[in-house]
Structures are given as structure tokens and as C-alpha cells.
């Protein structure tokens, strides 16, 4: 965790480096190992017009570090903004979970949030039509808990093997190096289960008005375990206290050209103005029997659980009240993983979640290195006491002289049997195999309900947004889009077909 800065001489209204006070003295400049620098501008040369000497250690230090400034960008969620804040429990949920940070009304836990676009690269605009990442890191007394969600309650696919493919079609064509509607719609029309997410993405909710005016969701169903070991299935909902606001397609497109960092700037400026954004956390709670017998598979991330069947239960609220001091150190190096779960919170058997438990932690090993958890933004407040040692860029004492193995005869560290693991005992029964989710009528029920839930003007926006993008594809792909929409709602499909014929 990165604490608030101390003893920083800065104007109260200064939001960037260029607005720092001009009368402060930050001391003499040094190289990367603290040696004072004599001259920052002029290299060491043979005479005023001669070649530069290799012995100019500071020049080599500066250039070699410059050559390595960039780290690999995230494959997904490459561009985003973040802020520090706190989470406060407002309602008792100790009967549902033994998680320490949720066990007392009024308890506050420091946290960090990062919002992002999902499939686009670092240089893309904030207002592109795309899902938004909604990642939260809670610095609890039992270690870091990461909730790595999105601004939509569902996702494109329910099998993790499809994750790479659904992202690939939202990247760039391998020949033209441009976004390809043909590639996008070719894939998704061959995977009709994705249309629940696609209808959200091509509605006005696909272009939220910045990060402050959108909800967040776990999307997946998780498990909560209480002190007695009883399990409940839970979906997490983070509802914006600022109210939901979306951008029209035209406004979003305009901002992409005039203010490509619109969402990042909006979040940063609001916090600087002390207009601290907040979200209220709710649970949807099912017993094990209710989850097993529900009309939809609660482990299928392409489906929602009806709030009429299982109403939202308020839990707490998080507030973002502090901007990062350094974007790279705090936002770019923040590492979120669904596998970062504290006692009392456990993963369900949701297939996509199971794949993400591995994939997110693994990508940080590639992007940031094996010791990324030691970076201040990722380090827990309760400390680390582990036999995991060494690797590139160790920070701290690396465990000192203490034994790097277990068991040992020298005082530990040792396991704590009193800690409630995810689930120490539960029954699994089945034949190992590759079981297919077969597409059926049930997969079109929720997209159909979503379309009918939209107001007439929102339905028209959805029709126009779809037709505008699909019109850029081959005729046979356009026919396939309409064929899938026919299975959702015949009138809806007809309206899209009519809009396509006018394109």
C-alpha cells in the first residue's frame, strides 16, 4: 500500500508537476545510485567538438534507463485511471462471511481502485465503445483482497479457452493493423451466447460518461464462508452514488478526438475538487440449495440473477479521496488478480473465473516480474512472512537470515490452523471430461428481456449503434447478425435489418 505523501510542499490547488510552487528546493540531482551529478546537460567530450567518451557514466546511466522505461502493457485493461480511498462497512454481514474487513459495522479498510477500457491498447480513447474494467484492491488485516470486475453484470463467454479469442477479435487485424468489424462480428455471430454482453455494449451503457457514473459488478458468482463453515453464493454489485450517466454515440466519438483522456481527467479533477466519488456495495445472496436449483446456472457468467428473485442487500460503501502522486508507480504497476482472496471469500466453480484465477496472476509475472507483490502499491499492510525468496528486483531484506524452507527447527514461519481456508472440506463428484455448454433457448431469454426493458429511445439507439458497426462487415456476416437477433426478438431483428438496408 502507498500511504499519503508527507511533508510535501505543494499548493493546495496544484494538480500536476507544472503547478508545483516555483520557490521550493528539492536538493541536488544525483544518478540512480545517489552520486551527485556535476552537469545535467553537457556530456563528457574530447574538446568542444570531439566525440563523447564512454566513461561518461551519468550519460550511460540516463540513456540505458530511458531505453527501458516502458514495461509491457496489459493485454487487457491496458489504459485506465485510478485513485486511493477507503471502504466502510455499513451493514452487518458477519453471518455470511468471516472476512476480517467485513466483520464490523463502521470498520474502514484502505483501498485502491483502477478503472479501464478492456480490449483497447494504451493509446486508445477513453470513450470507445467497450466494457470498462472495475478493479478494486482492499488492503485488509488478512492480506490483499482483489475484486476484479467490470461495469457489466455479464461477460461475452463462459469458457476460459475462449478468452484469448474474444479479445483477439477486438484488437487489430493481423494484416491491416486496424480494428476489423469483420473479424469482430464473424467471431461473435459464431458464438451467439455473447449477445447478452453485446447488447449491453452497443446500448448507451457501452459508452459510460467517465468512470464516476458507472456501476461495477463481480460478474462472476463467488462464495462467502462464515465462521461456522456455512457457504453462500454471492454476486457483488457496486452501484455508483453519482448516478448512471452515459454518452451518446456521437458525443463519445467527438470526445475521442477532442478529449481522448476524458474519463481519466474527469476522475482526477473531481477528486482534486474534493468531489469524492463513491459506490455502495450490495450482495445478492443464495444458499447452496437455491444456487443449485435456480432457473439459470449461477456459474454461467453470461447470465444475471434476477434482483426480483434475490434482492440486493446493502453491505458498505467505498469512497475515492486521493489521487496518485505518480501514475506509473501506482496505476501502471498496480497488479490485480481474482486469485487474491482473503479467508471468508472463495471462488465458485464458474469456468471463466477458474481460468482467470490463473491468468491474471500469471500475466503480472510476465509484465512486472516475480516480485511484483513487493511493489508499494501491491504490498499488504499486514506484512509478508514467507519462504518465497529471491528473483529479480527483490525489495527489502528478502527474509534476512531466516530459513527459506518449511518445516525447520528455527522458529518458523509456520502455518496457522486457526485460519479458515476457502473451504477446507467440500464434496466433488463427477466423471472427468470436456463438457460442452450447449446453446439453447434459455441463452436468448435474458438478452430478450434486456431489449424489452430499454425505453423506446434507448432501443432506437441500440438499433442504430448495431447497424452502424455491422454495416462495415461483409454481407454474409450482416445476415448472420440478423439471424442471431431473430432468436432474441423478431421485431428487434427487423429494425436492425431495415437500418442496415439504409446504410
Amino acid at each position: 500500500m502507498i500511504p499519503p505523501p508527507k511533508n510535501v510542499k505543494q499548493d493546495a490547488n496544484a494538480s500536476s508537476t507544472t503547478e508545483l510552487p516555483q520557490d521550493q528546493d528539492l536538493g541536488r540531482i544525483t544518478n540512480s545510485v545517489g552520486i551527485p551529478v556535476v552537469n545535467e546537460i553537457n556530456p563528457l567530450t574530447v574538446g568542444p567538438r570531439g566525440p563523447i567518451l564512454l566513461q561518461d557514466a551519468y550519460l550511460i546511466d540516463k540513456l540505458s534507463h530511458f531505453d527501458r522505461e516502458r514495461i509491457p502493457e496489459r493485454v487487457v485493461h491496458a489504459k485506465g485511471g485510478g485513485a486511493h480511498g477507503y471502504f466502510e462497512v455499513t451493514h452487518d454481514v458477519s453471518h455470511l462471511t468471516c472476512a476480517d474487513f467485513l466483520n464490523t459495522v463502521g470498520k474502514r479498510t484502505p483501498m485502491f481502485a483502477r478503472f479501464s477500457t478492456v480490449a483497447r491498447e494504451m493509446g486508445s480513447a477513453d470513450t470507445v465503445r467497450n466494457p470498462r474494467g472495475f478493479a478494486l484492491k482492499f488492503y485488509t488485516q488478512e492480506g490483499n483482497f482483489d475484486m476484479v470486475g467490470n461495469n457489466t453484470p455479464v461477460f461475452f463467454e463462459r469458457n476460459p479457452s475462449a478468452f484469448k479469442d474474444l479479445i483477439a477479435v477486438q484488437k487489430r487485424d493481423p494484416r491491416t493493423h486496424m480494428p476489423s468489424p469483420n473479424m469482430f462480428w464473424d467471431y461473435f455471430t459464431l458464438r451467439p451466447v455473447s449477445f447478452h454482453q453485446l447488447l449491453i455494449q452497443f446500448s448507451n451503457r457501452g459508452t459510460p460518461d467517465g468512470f464516476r457514473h458507472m456501476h461495477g459488478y463481480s460478474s462472476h458468482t463467488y462464495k462467502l464462508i462464515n465462521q461456522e463453515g456455512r457457504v453462500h453464493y454471492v454476486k457483488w454489485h457496486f452501484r455508483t452514488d453519482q448516478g448512471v450517466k452515459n454518452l451518446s454515440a456521437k458525443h463519445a466519438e467527438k470526445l475521442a478526438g477532442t478529449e481522448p483522456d476524458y474519463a481519466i481527467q474527469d476522475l482526477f479533477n473531481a477528486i482534486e475538487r474534493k468531489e469524492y466519488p463513491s459506490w455502495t456495495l450490495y450482495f445478492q445472496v443464495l444458499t447452496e440449495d437455491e444456487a443449485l436449483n435456480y432457473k439459470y446456472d449461477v456459474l454461467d457468467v453470461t447470465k444475471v440473477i434476477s434482483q426480483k428473485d434475490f434482492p440486493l442487500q446493502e453491505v458498505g460503501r467505498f469512497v475515492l479521496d486521493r489521487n496518485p502522486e505518480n501514475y506509473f508507480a501506482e496505476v501502471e504497476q498496480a497488479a490485480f488478480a481474482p486469485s487474491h482472496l482473503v479467508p471468508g471469500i472463495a471462488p465458485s466453480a464458474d469456468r471463466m473465473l477458474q481460468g482467470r484465477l490463473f491468468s491474471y496472476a500469471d500475466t503480472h509475472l510476465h509484465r512486472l516480474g516475480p516480485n511484483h507483490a513487493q511493489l508499494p502499491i501491491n504490498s499488504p499492510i499486514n506484512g509478508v512472512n514467507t519462504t518465497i525468496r529471491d528473483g529479480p528486483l527483490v525489495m527489502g531484506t528478502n527474509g534476512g537470515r531466516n530459513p527459506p524452507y518449511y518445516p525447520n527447527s528455527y522458529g518458523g514461519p509456520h502455518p496457522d490452523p486457526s485460519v479458515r481456508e476457502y473451504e477446507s472440506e467440500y464434496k466433488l463428484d463427477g466423471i472427468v471430461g470436456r463438457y460442452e455448454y450447449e446453446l439453447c433457448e434459455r441463452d436468448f431469454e435474458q438478452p430478450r428481456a434486456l431489449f424489452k426493458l430499454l425505453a423506446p429511445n434507448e432501443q432506437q439507439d441500440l438499433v442504430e449503434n448495431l447497424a452502424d458497426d455491422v454495416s462495415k462487415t461483409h454481407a454474409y456476416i450482416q445476415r448472420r447478425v440478423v439471424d442471431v437477433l431473430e432468436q432474441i426478438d423478431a421485431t428487434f431483428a427487423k429494425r436492425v435489418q431495415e437500418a442496415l438496408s439504409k446504410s
Side-chain angles (χ1 to χ4, degrees):
M1 176 188 167
I2 295 182
K6 296 180 180 179
N7 302 321
V8 176
K9 184 180 179 182
Q10 182 171 328
D11 289 342
N13 297 322
S15 62
S16 69
T17 302
T18 56
E19 296 175 350
L20 290 170
Q22 297 179 3
D23 60 346
Q24 67 178 352
D25 183 359
L26 299 178
R28 65 185 181 182
I29 194 167
T30 73
N31 70 1
S32 58
V33 294
I35 299 171
V37 172
V38 175
N39 193 306
E40 173 69 20
I41 302 297
N42 300 309
L44 193 63
T45 63
V46 180
R49 303 183 66 184
I52 294 174
L53 297 183
L54 187 60
Q55 72 184 56
D56 189 343
Y58 180 60
L59 176 64
I60 301 303
D61 181 41
K62 193 172 182 180
L63 290 180
S64 59
H65 188 278
F66 170 70
D67 294 341
R68 295 163 177 82
E69 279 185 359
R70 297 281 74 82
I71 61 176
E73 72 173 40
R74 294 167 170 87
V75 177
V76 289
H77 305 281
K79 186 186 181 189
H84 299 269
Y86 63 87
F87 173 79
E88 182 174 358
V89 179
T90 58
H91 290 70
D92 181 20
V93 291
S94 59
H95 60 292
L96 297 175
T97 177
C98 60
D100 176 79
F101 80 106
L102 295 174
N103 67 6
T104 305
V105 173
K107 176 176 279 191
R108 285 192 177 187
T109 298
M111 59 168 295
F112 183 77
R114 184 179 185 272
F115 310 114
S116 58
T117 50
V118 170
R120 300 302 181 91
E121 58 265 22
M122 177 70 81
S124 62
D126 288 350
T127 58
V128 293
R129 185 171 300 283
N130 206 240
R132 302 298 192 267
F134 199 100
L136 310 175
K137 185 180 294 291
F138 300 85
Y139 302 97
T140 87
Q141 293 297 331
E142 296 180 309
N144 291 350
F145 166 56
D146 291 352
M147 173 51 66
V148 193
N150 280 338
N151 73 325
T152 57
V154 297
F155 196 60
F156 299 96
E157 287 277 5
R158 47 200 174 192
N159 280 314
S161 56
F163 191 73
K164 174 264 177 193
D165 303 296
L166 70 91
I167 294 298
V169 301
Q170 299 180 71
K171 297 289 189 179
R172 294 177 179 269
D173 183 280
R175 185 186 183 209
T176 67
H177 196 59
M178 293 185 290
S180 171
N182 277 314
M183 197 163 66
F184 183 94
W185 289 106
D186 177 48
Y187 175 83
F188 285 120
T189 53
L190 296 172
R191 300 290 299 164
V193 71
S194 63
F195 269 64
H196 192 184
Q197 170 74 20
L198 288 173
L199 293 198
I200 297 173
Q201 183 167 326
F202 281 85
S203 73
N204 292 334
R205 290 171 64 185
T207 50
D209 189 347
F211 299 136
R212 295 184 300 133
H213 296 284
M214 64 185 190
H215 295 326
Y217 304 88
S218 64
S219 302
H220 304 289
T221 301
Y222 282 77
K223 292 180 180 180
L224 295 182
I225 303 99
N226 66 14
Q227 197 60 50
E228 289 71 45
R230 188 180 180 190
V231 172
H232 289 84
Y233 285 81
V234 174
K235 283 188 181 284
W236 302 54
H237 298 245
F238 299 88
R239 300 181 71 86
T240 175
D241 296 327
Q242 291 69 241
V244 171
K245 288 173 62 179
N246 300 309
L247 302 170
S248 68
K250 288 183 178 180
H251 192 191
E253 185 175 359
K254 178 182 178 182
L255 286 171
T258 60
E259 297 181 62
D261 302 318
Y262 174 80
I264 296 174
Q265 182 180 29
D266 176 72
L267 176 65
F268 185 93
N269 288 347
I271 294 173
E272 289 296 293
R273 294 192 304 267
K274 303 188 185 314
E275 296 175 8
Y276 302 135
S278 63
W279 287 258
T280 300
L281 169 61
Y282 297 85
F283 286 159
Q284 271 185 297
V285 181
L286 294 80
T287 66
E288 290 185 279
D289 286 341
E290 289 170 334
L292 180 64
N293 296 299
Y294 190 54
K295 57 187 175 182
Y296 295 109
D297 183 356
V298 301
L299 305 181
D300 179 354
V301 73
T302 69
K303 306 289 185 294
V304 297
I305 297 173
S306 171
Q307 294 179 27
K308 293 180 179 179
D309 298 332
F310 297 95
L312 299 181
Q313 300 181 28
E314 187 172 344
V315 178
R317 176 173 174 262
F318 79 82
V319 179
L320 301 180
D321 60 0
R322 178 164 62 92
N323 278 316
E325 286 295 301
N326 185 279
Y327 181 92
F328 183 87
E330 298 168 58
V331 182
E332 186 61 14
Q333 291 192 133
F336 300 87
S339 54
H340 296 167
L341 299 168
V342 294
I345 303 172
S348 72
D350 176 327
R351 290 186 185 181
M352 185 62 82
L353 175 57
Q354 291 283 315
R356 293 178 73 221
L357 293 176
F358 162 77
S359 186
Y360 278 63
D362 181 63
T363 198
H364 301 317
L365 297 177
H366 151 70
R367 202 174 70 86
L368 298 169
N371 289 307
H372 65 272
Q374 297 180 23
L375 293 165
I377 190 64
N378 300 319
S379 61
I381 59 175
N382 61 321
V384 173
N385 195 19
T386 180
T387 58
I388 298 173
R389 301 285 177 86
D390 306 341
L393 300 178
V394 168
M395 286 160 263
T397 64
N398 196 34
R401 67 174 66 183
N402 296 325
Y405 59 92
Y406 174 85
N408 64 74
S409 304
Y410 309 103
H414 51 79
D416 181 0
S418 69
V419 173
R420 173 162 293 285
E421 204 171 3
Y422 294 157
E423 295 159 284
S424 54
E425 295 181 359
Y426 62 100
K427 183 179 179 181
L428 291 174
D429 185 20
I431 305 299
V432 173
R434 298 187 183 277
Y435 295 93
E436 182 179 358
Y437 271 115
E438 294 186 3
L439 190 72
C440 63
E441 164 60 22
R442 183 155 291 184
D443 291 311
F444 299 104
E445 290 176 356
Q446 292 192 1
R448 185 179 302 127
L450 172 62
F451 179 72
K452 292 181 178 180
L453 185 65
L454 296 176
N457 63 308
E458 294 174 321
Q459 287 186 356
Q460 186 58 32
D461 288 340
L462 173 58
V463 168
E464 292 176 0
N465 293 338
L466 280 170
D468 179 65
D469 203 58
V470 175
S471 66
K472 302 166 187 173
T473 68
H474 298 309
Y476 69 89
I477 294 178
Q478 295 183 28
R479 288 193 295 271
R480 287 212 312 248
V481 172
V482 174
D483 288 344
V484 175
L485 295 178
E486 280 273 3
Q487 298 179 74
I488 296 173
D489 185 276
T491 303
F492 180 23
K494 183 179 179 181
R495 290 172 65 178
V496 172
Q497 178 65 73
E498 291 173 349
L500 286 170
S501 66
K502 298 175 183 177
S503 300

